[in-house]
Structure formats: structure tokens, C-alpha cells
Amino acid sequence: MNLQILTEFTINTISMGSLYALIALGLVFVFGICQLVNFAYGEFFAVSAYTLYFLGTFTSLPWFMVFLLGIFAGVAIAFLCEVVAFRPFRDRSMDALLVTSFAVSVIAQRVYQLSISPRPKAVPIPDFMNRTVTIFGIGTPLRNPLIIATTAVLLIALTLLMKKTTLGIAMRGASENFTTARLMGVPANLVILAAFIISGLLAGVVAIFLSARTGSVEPMAGAGPLLIGFIAVVIGGMHSLPGSVVGGFVYAGISNVLSLTLPTTMLSFRDAIMFAIVIAFLVIKPEGMIRGNYHEERVG
Amino acid sequence: MVVNTTHDTIKTDPILNVQSIDVAYGSVRVLHEVSLQVFAGELVSICGINGAGKSTTLKTIAGVLKPQSGQIVFRGQDITGKNAEKTHRLGIALVPEGREIFPSLTVAENLRIGAFGRYDAKRYAQDLEDIFELFPILKERYNQAGGLLSGGEQQMLAIARALVSRPDLLMMDEPSLGLAPAMVDLIFELIETLKNRGITILLVEQNAERALKIADRAYLLSTGYIKFAGRPEDMSETIDITSVYLGDGEGGF
Ligand SMILES: Nc1ncnc2c1ncn2[C@@H]1O[C@H](COP(=O)(O)OP(=O)(O)OP(=O)(O)O)[C@@H](O)[C@H]1O
Ligand SMILES: [Mg+2]
């Protein structure tokens, strides 16, 4: 019995942690390179999820095509965001960029409200995603082992990209010292765009699994993942890619422990307790669990 | 080592021609009509006290800062206002003040970024061999994080990182700063070696005495103005270097 609870807890925590890790990673990729807290990040999910809704509802494309195009939509919106909204303001103050990212987010939400619907729309997800499978004697929807596997593949691929390719090495260099990287011939536009594209790709993948869990998308759909990303990043550290992954898993762990241990009457306080923990992190360890290397400077 | 012959070869157009640049941080102007030339194969030294504008001059040439007026011509091409990534591609490499190593990147990765704008796989492998010959310590530390190297080793890495791009102009900003005396000797020897290989060098040094000994020509910057341009030995004669460096402001005039 106890073993069963433990197994269930482990599966839930790892699958939820995988999702949170990807979310946090997408936020930190952009922050690491241009020190921008990207409030528009949530819209990468929302646009992806709405694409899943549209293609799933109005076309008869096979599911994998819908998924691929959904991810592509996340990448495309991230690309557009960088080129159209951020690039023109990059040589202004950081505040200008922050406000821009807010503005993008608000405008996008109004667009979904007015042009699609203010109410939730059902996202058709193939049945197999939510079919129950048995792992170590525990029944769980297939999407859980799937997100774990997907995350493992993505983390390995991203690690290889960042460690082995010239672009990845340049991105890591730029996130430590942007000016010096440019002095070595690393184009600012290239590394920043690459960071946004990875951010959009991760958001697109996450949108599939989040939509499978909630089954719907609404104009504020991006707010949830954005908040998850922030919390995970506060826990794990804003300046380190591995830190954000650790933060995602730790966040999922704490959240699941609370769900499991709090008496039912206290369960509604779970989020409040979670925020208290986040505040404690900000006070005691503002740099997060993993500090990372960075250099305070402006990006131009 | 090759004996350095005096550079009275026919001087054609300078490889770098800085013409009367004004540079400001916000509303504070720190460079006033600074002009300087560097000819191919020369070692030119810029001296001056703290805050004279030496780093500002190098950063402006490299494209980190933009001049308010004036012109910078490099190998016949107007590069005024071009950003750092472009000037690097055109062949200007800066060894920045304070070394600015990427601390969590390995020596290998630091070097790899150094070649970024002008990377060529075949040439790179060859250049690495060459770098290891010049700096054997970097081969030993090849897979260590740059931040774990000693100050002197970091300086060698910073110079190597600039060299792997095969620059046509190598600019160094106070490469001996903060190093132990033995390491300072090593760095100056190295600069001479590079000079004897025919690399064009623009050197900024607080250690004016040492710099002037190896320089072909020198400039003195003082509070943003060029106060002297000419042969190093003339500079040592006309200006009391020590008084400049003791911070008499205008220094020795
Ligand atoms: N980022 C900056 N913002 C404002 N003023 C600056 C900035 N950097 C340098 N300055 C000022 O510009 C002037 C020239 O600075 P610069 O760094 O070029 O001098 P330097 O000759 O390299 O001095 P040092 O020998 O100390 O390196 C100084 O008065 C300095 O205070
Ligand atoms: Mg300086």
C-alpha cells in the first residue's frame, strides 16, 4: 500500500516535473541571453494550443501533423515576437522591453477573445494520450510516461546543442558576457533569435501535454504556464539552464507532497503555502538553488 | 628571435586610420578629436593615465561604442559605427581589459567562440596547434573552465582567443594588468613574438616603460586628447613618463 503511494507519487512528480522543467527552461533560455523576463511567454503556449484546437476541430489532419503544426505555431509566434516586438526596442531600456512583453501578452489575449471566443474551446486530443497504462502496478494516463520520455529526449538534444555546436557554445558565451561574445563575432540577432525559437519550441511541446490534461484552451490559457515557469525559476535559479530544470522538478515535488500530506480541509491552502515557499526562496536564496554564471550588463 | 629592423619601409596607407573621433558616455565627452594610425606590421602603443580614454578608444575602434563624429577607416573601408560583430569579421580582434573570459566555458569553448565570426574548420585545427605551441598551458587546461584559470593563464587565453580569428589587427587593452612580475615578463615576451611574426598590434598599457621599449610608434592620451604622437624614444624624452603616471593630470607638459 505504502509502496503503491510512493510509486504513484514518483510517477506523478516526474511527469509533472518534466512539464514544469520544460516550461521553466523556455523562460530561462530567453532570460539568460537577453536578461528579459518575457511576459509574452505564456502566449507561446496559448497560440500553440489554439492551433491544436483549430487544426483538430476544422481539419482532418492526422494527429502527428496537428502536433507538429502546433509546435511550429509556438516557434513561429516566438520568432515573430522577437523580430517584430522586441528587436526594435532592444537598444532602449530594459523597462521598455518588459512593457513590450506585457503589451504583446495583453494584445494577444484580446485577439483570442474577440476573434475566437472569450470562453474555453475544447481541444481535440487523440484518445491514446489519455488511455490508462499500468506502470509498476500503478494506472496512469499514457501522456505521463510520454511527457517523461519527450522531456528526456529534449533535454539530451538541448544539452548536445549547447555543448557541442558552435551556435550553442556561442549562446552560452553570450549569456555569460554578451558584449564580449559580440567582440568575438557572435551576432546578437542570431543568438537571441535562437533563444526565442527554442523557447517557442518548448512552449509548443508543453501546450500539447497541457491541452491533453485540461482538454481545452481559453484566452488566459498562457497565464498558468507563465506562473509555473516563474515559480520554478525562482526555486531553481534564473541564471542557469540546469537550475531551471531542477526548479521545475523541485516545484512539482513540493506541490505533490503538499497535496499528499495536507488534510483535506487545508487543501485549498496549497497554493498559498506554495507561494509562501516561493517567497521564502526569494528571501533566503534569491539566486535560486543553482547560481550559474552571469555578468550584469545591458544587451544592445 | 629576429632582430627588429627599424620600420622605415615605404609606408603606404595605414591599415587603421582613426580620424578625429569624439566619443561620449551620455553627455560626458571623454574623447576629443582623437586621431591615430596603425600601419601593417607595426606595434603601436597608446599610453596614458587612468581614465585618459585608452579603453574607450579601443572599444570605439572595435565597435562597442559609436563615435559622435569623426571617421574610422580599416583597410580602406569605412567602419565608423559598425558594431563589434562586424568589425571582428573584418579582421579586428580585441583582447579586452580585464580579460573577460567566459568563466563557465572551458578553455576549448572559449577558443571556439574566439573563432566564431571567422571560423574555418581546417584552418582552426592548424591554428590550435599553433596556439598550443605559443601557450602550452592552454593545452594542459584545455577542458577546464576558464574561470578556474589563474590571472596569467586567463590573459593567455584571452590573447589566444583573439588570435584564433587570425586578426589583421590585434588590439590589447592592458594585458599585463594585475599580473605577477614573472607573468608580466612572459606577456611582454609574447607580444614581441607576435610582433616579430608580423602581426599588427595596437597595445594599450599602463606599464609605459615596457610598452615603449617594444613599440614602433606611440601615442599619449591625456584626458581624452592626443598629447603626443611619434617615436617611443622621443616620447620618453619630451614627456616625463613618471610624472604622467603619478597622476599629474596633464602630465609632464
Ligand atoms: N561606461 C561608462 N560610463 C560613463 N563614463 C565612463 C564609462 N566608462 C568610462 N567612463 C569614463 O570615461 C573616461 C575614460 O575611460 P577609459 O576607461 O577609456 O579610460 P582608460 O584610459 O582606459 O583608463 P584605465 O587605465 O583606468 O583603464 C573616464 O573618465 C571614465 O570615468
Ligand atoms: Mg582602460
Side-chain angles (χ1 to χ4, degrees):
Chain A
M1 180 59 196
N2 264 342
L3 185 69
Q4 211 174 4
I5 290 178
L6 190 69
T7 314
E8 193 173 353
F9 171 83
T10 309
I11 293 174
N12 283 343
T13 301
I14 297 180
S15 53
M16 194 166 143
S18 296
L19 206 59
Y20 289 9
L22 294 188
I23 294 172
L25 202 51
L27 202 58
V28 169
F29 252 101
V30 167
F31 183 82
I33 300 251
C34 36
Q35 317 294 302
L36 166 71
V37 178
N38 183 15
F39 282 94
Y41 185 45
E43 304 322 311
F44 301 175
F45 298 95
V47 167
S48 241
Y50 271 115
T51 306
L52 296 175
Y53 151 71
F54 268 110
L55 296 177
T57 311
F58 303 111
T59 71
S60 51
L61 288 171
W63 62 268
F64 60 90
M65 278 305 290
V66 174
F67 282 8
L68 276 180
L69 289 169
I71 295 171
F72 178 76
V75 171
I77 191 71
F79 181 100
L80 267 181
C81 234
E82 180 344 67
V83 174
V84 176
F86 293 125
R87 191 171 292 182
F89 300 107
R90 218 191 287 142
D91 53 358
R92 310 283 169 79
S93 74
M94 210 60 235
D95 301 340
L97 280 185
L98 209 61
V99 171
T100 305
S101 81
F102 258 126
V104 167
S105 177
V106 171
I107 292 169
Q109 286 163 13
R110 289 294 173 275
V111 169
Y112 322 135
Q113 259 179 27
L114 295 173
S115 67
I116 303 169
S117 163
R119 278 171 305 157
K121 287 290 185 187
V123 178
I125 289 292
D127 291 334
F128 74 87
M129 291 277 284
N130 292 323
R131 189 177 305 145
T132 304
V133 292
T134 309
I135 300 173
F136 303 119
I138 299 295
T140 188
L142 181 62
R143 61 168 197 268
N144 281 345
L146 274 182
I147 182 66
I148 295 172
T150 307
T151 303
V153 169
L154 279 173
L155 291 183
I156 290 169
L158 286 175
T159 306
L160 287 177
L161 173 77
M162 298 308 279
K163 294 253 182 208
K164 298 289 176 213
T165 70
T166 308
L167 175 66
I169 294 169
M171 289 174 76
R172 279 163 55 223
S175 73
E176 287 191 354
N177 192 329
F178 202 83
T179 306
T180 304
R182 293 190 81 182
L183 270 173
M184 310 284 118
V186 175
N189 285 342
L190 176 72
V191 286
I192 291 176
L193 194 58
F196 269 88
I197 286 176
I198 292 170
S199 185
L201 174 90
L202 292 169
V205 171
V206 167
I208 293 172
F209 288 94
L210 279 182
S211 304
R213 195 162 78 180
T214 60
S216 66
V217 56
E218 40 100 21
M220 292 299 289
L226 184 65
L227 187 61
I228 291 169
F230 282 150
I231 294 176
V233 159
V234 166
I235 295 174
M238 198 77 190
H239 299 291
S240 145
L241 294 172
S244 65
V245 173
V246 170
F249 280 102
V250 171
Y251 176 19
I254 297 174
S255 171
N256 278 342
V257 166
L258 289 178
S259 305
L260 213 61
T261 53
L262 286 179
T264 17
T265 48
M266 292 277 286
L267 227 80
S268 50
F269 292 107
R270 195 188 66 181
D271 288 347
I273 296 172
M274 195 66 229
F275 280 116
I277 293 173
V278 167
I279 291 168
F281 253 98
L282 281 173
V283 172
I284 300 163
K285 226 171 156 27
E287 73 278 12
M289 295 171 70
I290 297 181
R291 199 177 183 296
N293 263 308
Y294 91 110
H295 184 99
E296 194 82 51
E297 64 177 344
R298 280 286 324 280
V299 165
Chain B
M1 213 170 274
V2 182
V3 180
N4 182 39
T5 52
T6 42
H7 275 248
D8 46 8
T9 42
I10 316 140
K11 283 183 179 169
T12 46
D13 286 342
I15 187 168
L16 175 74
N17 195 355
V18 177
Q19 290 161 346
S20 191
I21 53 168
D22 288 341
V23 181
Y25 293 102
S27 59
V28 185
R29 187 187 288 189
V30 299
L31 290 189
H32 307 267
E33 298 177 12
V34 166
S35 296
L36 61 92
Q37 285 81 38
V38 180
F39 292 86
E42 260 190 332
L43 197 173
V44 173
S45 178
I46 304 178
C47 303
I49 57 160
N50 281 346
K54 307 180 297 291
S55 298
T56 305
T57 305
L58 294 194
K59 281 183 188 164
T60 309
I61 296 169
V64 176
L65 301 169
K66 291 188 183 10
Q68 290 180 315
S69 63
Q71 202 187 27
I72 304 171
V73 178
F74 180 64
R75 294 169 68 208
Q77 191 177 347
D78 185 357
I79 59 161
T80 322
K82 283 215 189 328
N83 64 32
E85 53 204 58
K86 294 221 178 75
T87 62
H88 184 267
R89 196 144 309 155
L90 290 172
I92 297 176
L94 173 64
V95 180
E97 186 175 3
R99 311 186 267 274
E100 306 284 352
I101 293 303
F102 302 110
S104 79
L105 269 56
T106 63
V107 169
E109 291 167 336
N110 268 281
L111 290 172
R112 183 79 177 270
I113 294 190
F116 189 94
R118 317 180 97 204
Y119 185 78
D120 171 341
K122 226 194 291 167
R123 219 176 63 174
Y124 185 68
Q126 217 177 300
D127 290 349
L128 269 189
E129 287 308 309
D130 202 33
I131 292 287
F132 291 153
E133 213 169 288
L134 280 174
F135 313 93
I137 191 74
L138 293 185
K139 186 168 192 177
E140 252 170 71
R141 303 245 188 272
Y142 198 55
N143 289 310
Q144 269 183 29
L148 298 178
L149 304 186
S150 74
E153 289 164 358
Q154 285 192 358
Q155 189 61 63
M156 293 187 199
L157 177 55
I159 296 172
R161 191 177 60 175
L163 286 175
V164 287
S165 69
R166 289 205 183 179
D168 299 314
L169 172 66
L170 177 66
M171 302 197 292
M172 294 194 245
D173 197 346
E174 311 218 17
S176 76
L177 192 71
L179 300 183
M183 193 52 85
V184 173
D185 290 344
L186 209 71
I187 295 287
F188 274 102
E189 257 170 53
L190 180 84
I191 296 172
E192 274 199 278
T193 309
L194 296 178
K195 173 190 163 170
N196 291 334
R197 284 181 169 207
I199 298 178
T200 310
I201 300 171
L202 182 55
L203 173 69
V204 159
E205 257 301 335
Q206 288 262 352
N207 196 336
E209 225 176 295
R210 302 282 305 254
L212 291 178
K213 234 175 253 165
I214 57 172
D216 296 315
R217 283 190 310 112
Y219 290 90
L220 177 71
L221 249 186
S222 179
T223 56
Y225 293 91
I226 295 281
K227 284 289 170 70
F228 174 89
R231 301 194 324 159
E233 47 278 27
D234 295 342
M235 178 159 147
S236 322
E237 262 165 39
T238 44
I239 298 148
D240 180 2
I241 297 290
T242 30
S243 80
V244 171
Y245 282 91
L246 287 176
D248 290 357
E250 298 297 299
F253 279 98

